[in-house]
Structures are given as C-alpha cells and as structure tokens.
C-alpha cells in the first residue's frame, strides 16, 4: 500500500466543513470548548449514513449479529472489572511554579505556558513526580456527592455489551459464534485533544463483540480484519489510503492474542480508524469474577460449557467521517461550459489553464452522501419548468434526502451541490416539456445524459443499493 | 378523548420486555443502577425506527427544517445563559439523624429509611431547611478538577440548537420560518426515577426548535400541536389514548406565551410524551446577552432585522417507545388451528373458552416493528422448502430487518413472532413448489392469503411506506 499523503490540508477541509455546515466547534459563541465538536445540517446526515451503513452490514444483513443500546452511565463496578478504573490513565506532572499540568510522557514536545518558545519548566518551576491521571469523566449519581455516588461516563461502548452478554444470549436464540453490536457515544478526558475531530473528548463508537469458541481466535480475527477492510471500500475509502498496523507480541495486552489497527492516510499522517483485537476471555471472565455471575455458553450439541473468547472490531464514527471527508475532497480544474477538456486535479502552484475554472467537490460514495440528488428547474420564472421540477422533487423527497434549488445560473447551482457532495443533479429543461426526459448530471464525471422522468427514482435507488 | 386505562400492567410489560430482549436493567449483573436502562436486540431496533420516523417526517420530508448533532458536554456558560445553572433544581432536605436526603416537596409521601412504614423524620431526626439541588450531572473537563473545569451533561438537547443558531442559519440558506432538529441523549439527576423507563436519569430526546417571526407565535404553536398529535397516530398510538394538557396562563414560564403537553394513557396514568412550548425570543436573547454575539435574522425582502421567536416541540424517545409498547401489547384468545372463531381480547378473570388458546401479541405499526417479516419453511427436513425460504429471506434481508426460523411447529413459530411484534409471516409450503406462491399471514387478523413469491418484496415495501 502506498504512503501518498492526501492533497487536502486540514485547514482547507475545516474551512469547507464550517462554511458548508458539516462541522462546527462546540459552543463556538462562547469561545468553544476544547475537544468537543458539533455536526451541522450536512454533517449530521453524513454521520447518520456512516452509522446506518455499518448497522446494515454488521447487524441487519447478518444472521449472527444482534444489536444493543446500553446506557452511557453504568454501575461503577463495570469499570473496576474492565480494568479502566485502575489502568486507563496517563502519567501527569504539575509545575510547582506556574501550576500547569502536563503529560509526563510528552514533556519534550510541550511548551511552557509562561515561555511558549521553551519547554515545560522554563518558567523556572520544578516539576512534581508523575502521577496517574484517569481519563474517565467522573460524575455523581443521586442527591449526595461522595465516594459512594461516583459514576463514570463510559470511555468505550464495549463494556455495556459484556455486562449484558448473558441477557442477550438468553433472548436472542443465537449460538456461538455470534456477535453483539452497538453504536453510541463515549467520553475520554484527553489531556491534549488534537487533529480537528480526530482526537476529541466526546466521540461516537461502533463496536462489535464477536463471541467465538476458544481456540478459533486466530481464524476469526483474520476474518474480521478482512471484512472490515472491505467495508471501508464500500463507503468510499481508497485501498491505497488504507493500511494495517499489526501489533507485535510485545505490544499486545497480556490477555490479547492478536491486534490489528486499520489505518488511514490523514493529512496529519497515518492514523487509526479502527482496532480489531482478539481479547480471549478476559472481559467475560473479569465481569464474571466481579459480579459473581456465571457468564458462560453451553453448547447443547457437544455438551460443553465454556467462557467464549471474543474478537472486537472497534471503530470511531467521527474518525471515519473525517476520513471520508478527506478522501472525498478535491480542488479540480474543469472545462468551462461549452469548452472541451478533461477534469484535472488542481496542482498547487500551477496556474489555472485557459478555458478552465476551479471547482471544489466532495466525491462521496452515494450511500454516504448527505444529499442524494438535487432537482433544478432550468429557469425559475417559467411555471411549467418549476411545477415539473417541484413535482419530481416531492416524489423523491418521500424516500431520500434531496434538495431543490431554483436560484441562480444552473452552473452555479451545480457547483454548490458539488461542494456538498451531492452525487446527482437533475435538471428540468425545455426538452422535458416535449419528451418527458430530464438532464441527469453525474457529479464526478460531470457527464450529462437524458433520462426519462419516470425512471429517475429507480436510477437513484440503483445507485444507492 | 377517553380515559380508558390500558389493559396491560407495567409488570406484565416489563416481564415481556426482558424476556424478549426489548429492555434490560442497566448493569443488571452488578445489581443495576437506579434510573438507567439498556435496550436489547428488539428494543434497539424499535428505538431506531421511532427516531428514523421522526427524522424522516421532521427533517427529510420538510423543506423548512435542517438537522444538527451537538455535543452532550458544552461550554458551561451555555447553562448560565439558559437558566439551568440557577433554576433547574429540586428542593431537598437532609435528616440530621439518619443522614438521608429527600425531596422537600414530597415529604408527605416519602418513607423514613429507618421506619419504612412511617414518614420521613420518624427516626426522630430533625430535617434541615430545604436547599436547592441542581439536577444537572456535573463533571470536570481537563486535567485539573476545580471550579474552572466544571462542565455539565446537557439536561436537554435544545440549548445546543440555540448556541448554533447563527452557524446553521448562515450555512443552510433557510429563511425564517424554519427549524433546526436534533436527536440525542440528555441527562437529569432525578432524585426519584420511577415508572420503569418513563422517568430515568439518562434518556434520549427528539427536539425541534422552529424559528418564526415575532407575532406569529399563536398560529405556529397551534400548527405544531396539530402536526405532532397526527404524528403519534402514524406510529400507532390510538387517538383515544392521547390527550392534550393545555397550560394555564399562571403555569407558563414568564417568557412563554403557550404550552401544550401531549399526554398518553400509560398504565400508571396520563403522562407527558412531548411538550410543545412557544418560548418567544427568550433563549436566543439570553445567549446573545451571555455570549455578546448578535443572534438575529435579517429579512432581505422587508429589510427588517429581528430576534426570531421559537416554537419547541420536545419529545422523549424512551417515553414514546414505552407508549408504543403499552399500546401494542395484547393478551388475546385466538381460535385453535382448524377451529372457527374470532380473536378476542382476554378478559381478566374469565376462563379460556373451549377451542381457544392464548397468545401475547405486540400490535406494532409496521414502520415501527423491530422485525418487518419472518420467513419460514413449513418443514425443516425438506431441502426444497428450506432452500426456497432461505432464498426469499436473503433477498428481503438486503433491504429490511427480517427473521428466518425453521424450528418447531409452524403455529409455535407464528406465536414467537407475534410476541416480537413482527407484522408479517411468510411460509414456504408444498404449494409454493407447485405455483410459486407463499402463505402471507397478517399478525393482527391472523388471516392467511396466497401471494406470488415474486410480489412479496413489493407488498412489504407498500406496508412500510
């Protein structure tokens, strides 16, 4: 796989995302809050589509996976059993002079708040010994705020699945191997949120715990790595921008037999989208130990009783949304209307050739695109065009998110939809009134063909299958 | 509207919900955590369907509403501006003897923890003066836990919309009147969670803020009350189990001009599903004041600049899920196979008539049902039946959540799907092999008709439109 860096910078992307309503800084009118992000009108649809595609492929279209939606706040014993209370922490030091708090393992690259050009401690301050800082957000449940009422915002959705393993097993009539899938928010009090939405403090996960017979760990791990890599192609990430990071034996947690990260070539480097770990029976065993409840599977055919092992593909929705945006973003030179020529990717520093104009386009896969099609009357002051266009729009709107736009030159309207990543533009023009066909324009190729108006919905359905 | 109480008790419903995997107690293996609930394999699909139906009707199929997905943790100034920091609280008293903490406004009905048959204070303890207890869950963001890092879990999603009003307005090309819609989790540290999932500490909201020109409040409020009432019919709540509670002038918040609660006849009484409030310009004005940012709308046609007023339909997903379950639940007497007779609702105390058997059924609307159809081969040991049934199942599974079941007598398989609320059962039998038709059984009427196998998908699509 190649190491090509994406041509978009994070600044370009963040600017488009704000301007077109994909992503806003949380609480921006109050100066923002570090590590929290909001999704605007286009962003919320993009994220919905990613989650729906995952749910469809991971739950609905499989016979061996069922869903779950567990609460964000759970009994605190869950985090004792999982090991998060003890071990989910970063080492921190305090500066005795400026009272700043810093990650002990990042001191070499962290600036002193008093003298930003120098390293931590440049204010003359001594640093304390490193102490462990737990990354779970803490809160209190009930009217009394003391040790007995402490609870945590889950730092991952996975533990909700393990805690409900027995209930789900007993209601779902599933047999091992089978999986439980969940989508939901998780929270980590990161010391240093960074890279736009990539490392934030509030984020959404899509996690699958796939329970298997002990001893089949290696084959099922391999199966899920392959499945998940293929899935990223389905939502439009190019294989050459994806990579695998295979953990060495010395990098694995003591209970894990294998772990592979699926990496994406972001503008800020090759970074993790999803981790796929073979975790053995660690989680179920620990919850069994801490709860005193047996968390086992009984195989009726072989008369065996065992604690299933688990393979866990764990993906971040926000990271996938960011990867999809990076992948889709293009600055292109396109031939002006009425001019011949090919679409070219704009080269930094090169001058716009004669007869060309620039466009920004988001080349989303249709299933991921926030808006599936835009419908235009060629002219807004011709009622027969407007009525036909609106009729088609209403019809499509029953089934998909579509957009109607009658304002401005048709070329400008196409450009606006290119920037929103809308894959198809459908224009009602004078020929429509004669032969009941419309212009069907494809965003990526900019090719225009005539399509009978009666076939538009089927064509769209095929593109979204 | 009638005041008929639903025939199901909360205990019956909770038992079915646990047994069939709709709802589990959160962290059950650790003894549970009061006020938190998990949704199992059927429950998560039910909730998804409710949310999707709302999003489709409120956002996708309207031209004047766009979506948003704001973070749960926001800048704490948001809650100063909204008034939640100061005013979102219950009065509490402490018992000086037993140290219990109780709601001051519920002392008459609260038992003393020491002497449960008596009222609070029966342990001989004096009670403190009432103090205000804020219902927002508090946490700390960043490495230091002090006043400067306090943040809150949002007690409603609405404020995220107000805080992003200006960004959304500028990217969406919407004109007032228009709305911003959001679905997401919210948290309230209720002193006394109760009535199963009805009043819980973690819950999901579907909120719309519909921004309007000042002076149009009454008509838009009326419009949304009507729209929202009609929506509840669409998802299957009978009009006779719904009611409106119209707030008197003296019950309204000082900034509100109208408020109507949509109520549902739960087993525990008539209770709120959704509140629809005309909130004037209170929220935008406060955020403008606290942030120093103008939150206005400029009407280009009239050259007017104003702070929009807002009408807010605010619904609870968990409450709606609970209402839908109560509405759908029936204990019925049905004629045994090969016997004539009508389906009757089981009367408490009455004896099962001869020739009848009992069934539990969830009469969900098809769009809300977790599983849309179940496919059965009549016999599992006849490969030609199994192959045809599996082929049909695979075909339907591409598009909808469907279920395949070949185990046990066909009547038993129907019964299991009745209990899960699956609206259609499709059986491949010997006639299928001759004429390519299947038995299409409707859950509610139990009527069975022959349908060509090639028409099954279209029939299902029509039922879900």
């Amino acid at each position: 796989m190649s190491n090509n860096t994406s041509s978009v910078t994070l600044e370009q992307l963040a600017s488009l995302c704000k301007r077109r309503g994909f992503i806003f800084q949380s609480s921006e009118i109050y100066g923002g809050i570090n590590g929290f992000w909001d999704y605007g009108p286009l962003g919320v649809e993009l994220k919905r589509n990613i989650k729906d595609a995952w749910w469809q492929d991971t739950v609905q279209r499989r016979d061996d996976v069922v869903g779950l939606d567990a609460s964000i706040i759970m009994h605190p014993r869950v985090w004792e059993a999982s090991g998060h209370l003890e071990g989910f922490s970063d080492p921190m030091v305090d500066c005795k002079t400026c009272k700043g708090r810093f990650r002990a393992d990042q001191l070499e690259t962290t600036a002193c708040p008093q003298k930003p050009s120098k390293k931590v401690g440049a204010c003359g301050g001594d640093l304390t010994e490193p102490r462990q800082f737990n990354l779970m957000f803490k809160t209190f449940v009930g009217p009394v705020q003391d040790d007995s009422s402490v609870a945590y915002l889950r730092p991952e959705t996975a533990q909700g699945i393990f805690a409900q393993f027995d209930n789900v097993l007993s209601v779902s009539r599933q047999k091992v191997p089978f999986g439980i899938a969940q989508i939901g928010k998780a929270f980590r009090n990161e010391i240093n949120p960074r890279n736009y939405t990539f490392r934030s403090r509030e984020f959404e996960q899509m996690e699958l715990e796939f329970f298997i017979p002990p001893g089949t760990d290696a084959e099922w791990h391999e199966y899920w790595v392959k499945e998940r890599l293929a899935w990223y192609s389905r939502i439009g990430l190019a294989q050459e921008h994806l990579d695998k990071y295979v953990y060495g034996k010395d990098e694995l947690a003591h209970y894990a037999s294998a772990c592979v990260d699926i990496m994406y070539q972001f503008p800020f480097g090759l970074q993790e989208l999803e981790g796929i770990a073979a975790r053995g029976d660690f989680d179920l065993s620990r919850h069994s130990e801490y709860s005193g409840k047996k968390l086992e599977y009984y195989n009726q055919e072989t008369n065996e009783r065992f604690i299933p092992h688990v393979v866990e593909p764990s993906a971040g929705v926000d990271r996938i949304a960011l990867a999809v945006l990076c992948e889709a973003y293009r600055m292109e030179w396109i031939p002006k209307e009425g001019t011949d020529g090919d679409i070219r990717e704009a080269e930094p520093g090169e001058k716009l050739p004669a007869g060309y104009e620039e466009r920004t386009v988001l080349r989303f896969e249709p299933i991921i695109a926030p808006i599936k099609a835009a419908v235009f009357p060629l002219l807004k002051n011709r009622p027969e065009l407007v009525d036909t266009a609106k009729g088609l729009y209403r019809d499509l709107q029953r089934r998909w998110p579509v957009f109607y736009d009658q304002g401005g030159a048709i070329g400008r309207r196409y450009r606006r939809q290119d920037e929103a990543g809308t894959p198809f533009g459908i224009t009602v023009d004078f020929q429509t009134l004669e032969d009941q066909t419309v212009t069907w324009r494809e965003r990526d190729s900019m090719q225009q063909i005539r399509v009978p108006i009666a076939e538009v919905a089927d064509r769209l359905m095929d593109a979204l299958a």
Side-chain angles (χ1 to χ4, degrees), chain A:
Chain A
M1 293 178 191
S2 94
N3 273 332
N4 287 345
T5 47
S6 173
S7 59
V8 58
T9 68
L10 217 49
E11 292 67 33
Q12 284 173 316
L13 189 73
S15 163
L16 176 78
C17 283
K18 170 152 194 208
R19 180 163 49 84
R20 291 311 307 259
F22 283 95
I23 299 169
F24 305 130
Q25 195 180 13
S26 169
S27 315
E28 190 189 309
I29 59 172
Y30 293 105
I33 172 169
N34 192 8
F36 297 89
W37 299 93
D38 293 353
Y39 290 82
L42 291 180
V44 62
E45 301 292 350
L46 181 70
K47 241 175 66 166
R48 282 173 65 82
N49 293 340
I50 291 168
K51 290 187 282 183
D52 283 352
W54 187 86
W55 193 262
Q56 194 174 55
D57 290 335
T58 310
V59 182
Q60 180 192 312
R61 291 183 178 175
R62 295 186 68 104
D63 304 342
D64 57 359
V65 177
V66 296
L68 181 74
D69 183 14
S71 59
I72 289 170
I73 293 177
M74 293 184 271
H75 196 291
R77 287 280 280 172
V78 169
W79 309 112
E80 286 179 46
S82 70
H84 283 82
L85 202 55
E86 198 180 14
F88 191 61
S89 54
D90 284 337
M92 306 292 299
V93 298
D94 291 323
C95 173
K96 290 177 183 169
T97 300
C98 74
K99 309 295 176 197
R101 186 167 278 185
F102 313 98
R103 267 183 69 161
D105 55 348
Q106 295 178 351
L107 291 178
E108 288 300 311
T109 55
T110 308
C112 174
Q114 306 297 320
K115 299 189 175 172
S117 64
K118 308 245 171 138
K119 285 188 296 189
V120 166
C123 58
D126 280 344
L127 301 178
T128 62
E129 286 297 300
R131 280 178 305 181
Q132 291 301 317
F133 170 74
N134 198 294
L135 297 182
M136 288 196 290
F137 283 100
K138 186 165 130 177
T139 190
F140 303 94
V141 173
V144 182
Q145 293 191 5
D146 63 19
D147 286 352
S148 73
S149 64
V150 166
Y152 302 93
L153 307 192
R154 65 180 175 200
E156 60 174 40
T157 63
Q159 298 303 323
I161 296 178
F162 295 121
Q164 292 292 7
F165 168 78
D166 206 44
N167 272 333
V168 174
L169 180 65
S170 70
V171 303
S172 67
R173 305 177 74 216
Q174 289 283 349
K175 292 178 177 168
V176 169
F178 83 101
I180 305 175
Q182 178 167 223
I183 299 177
K185 284 273 176 93
F187 299 79
R188 293 180 189 179
N189 197 358
E190 296 282 353
I191 303 309
N192 182 20
R194 61 193 175 279
N195 291 332
Y196 197 26
T197 58
F198 180 81
R199 188 173 300 278
S200 53
R201 285 169 166 159
E202 175 177 335
F203 52 98
E204 207 157 3
Q205 290 188 308
M206 307 189 290
E207 294 197 304
L208 167 66
E209 303 301 328
F210 197 79
F211 299 98
I212 58 175
T216 62
D217 308 56
E219 67 202 71
W220 276 112
H221 185 258
E222 194 185 349
Y223 168 87
W224 278 110
V225 170
K226 212 173 136 194
E227 278 289 306
R228 296 301 304 148
L229 261 176
W231 187 80
Y232 285 104
S233 295
R234 169 158 141 75
I235 62 162
L237 298 187
Q239 286 294 324
E240 68 258 32
H241 294 152
L242 293 166
D243 209 341
K244 289 189 292 191
Y245 178 80
V246 181
Y247 284 56
K249 284 286 169 211
D250 55 331
E251 295 173 290
L252 291 172
H254 67 89
Y255 47 80
S257 61
C259 189
V260 166
D261 285 348
I262 296 180
M263 314 288 281
Y264 179 74
Q265 190 65 52
F266 285 100
F268 44 85
L270 196 63
Q271 292 281 351
E272 178 192 354
L273 283 182
E274 169 163 351
I276 301 158
R279 298 174 60 86
D281 67 2
F282 177 74
D283 305 276
L284 287 181
S285 293
R286 292 274 291 199
H287 283 294
S288 189
E289 181 189 337
Y290 279 72
S291 70
K293 303 278 190 299
K294 277 197 175 142
L295 302 176
E296 292 178 337
Y297 176 72
Y298 175 63
N299 185 331
Q300 289 181 310
E301 284 159 37
T302 61
N303 207 17
E304 283 173 305
R305 193 176 292 278
F306 58 84
I307 301 178
H309 285 200
V310 75
V311 172
E312 173 191 271
S314 167
V317 180
D318 309 83
R319 291 178 175 194
I320 296 172
L322 186 59
V324 161
L325 281 160
C326 290
E327 183 81 24
Y329 185 99
R330 295 272 201 300
M331 288 277 272
E332 291 178 345
W333 289 337
I334 56 172
K336 282 186 177 160
E337 295 246 21
T339 320
D340 276 346
D342 292 332
I343 300 170
R344 298 174 45 185
E345 196 156 354
E347 297 285 338
E350 203 184 337
K351 250 180 96 178
L352 187 69
Y356 276 77
E357 58 181 322
E358 199 174 78
R359 77 162 176 173
T360 303
V361 58
L362 291 175
R363 292 173 165 255
F364 292 131
E365 277 294 301
I367 57 158
I368 292 302
I371 301 168
K372 304 307 183 190
V375 181
F376 315 108
L378 185 63
L379 299 172
K380 74 172 169 186
N381 54 3
R382 298 295 288 259
E384 63 277 34
L385 298 180
V386 168
D387 290 350
T388 307
K390 279 196 176 162
L392 176 61
Y393 166 67
R394 293 273 168 245
D395 185 38
L396 299 176
Q397 191 186 31
R398 296 285 307 162
R399 293 163 68 177
W400 299 288
V402 291
F403 195 79
Y404 175 83
D405 188 4
Q406 61 179 34
I410 189 72
R412 244 189 93 178
R413 283 182 270 168
Y414 286 150
R415 249 4 53 78
R416 278 202 289 258
Q417 292 305 313
D418 288 344
E419 248 187 21
T422 307
F424 307 109
I426 299 156
T427 304
V428 171
D429 50 27
F430 292 104
Q431 194 179 328
T432 310
L433 306 177
E434 284 166 30
D435 66 3
Q436 296 290 304
T437 65
V438 292
T439 299
W440 172 282
R441 176 204 186 249
E442 293 196 356
R443 173 198 64 205
D444 296 351
S445 66
M446 293 176 57
Q447 281 186 343
Q448 302 189 3
I449 56 172
R450 303 294 308 177
V451 169
I453 203 164
E455 288 173 20
V456 165
D458 280 350
R459 233 185 137 84
L460 204 48
M461 194 162 74
D462 288 347
L464 298 170

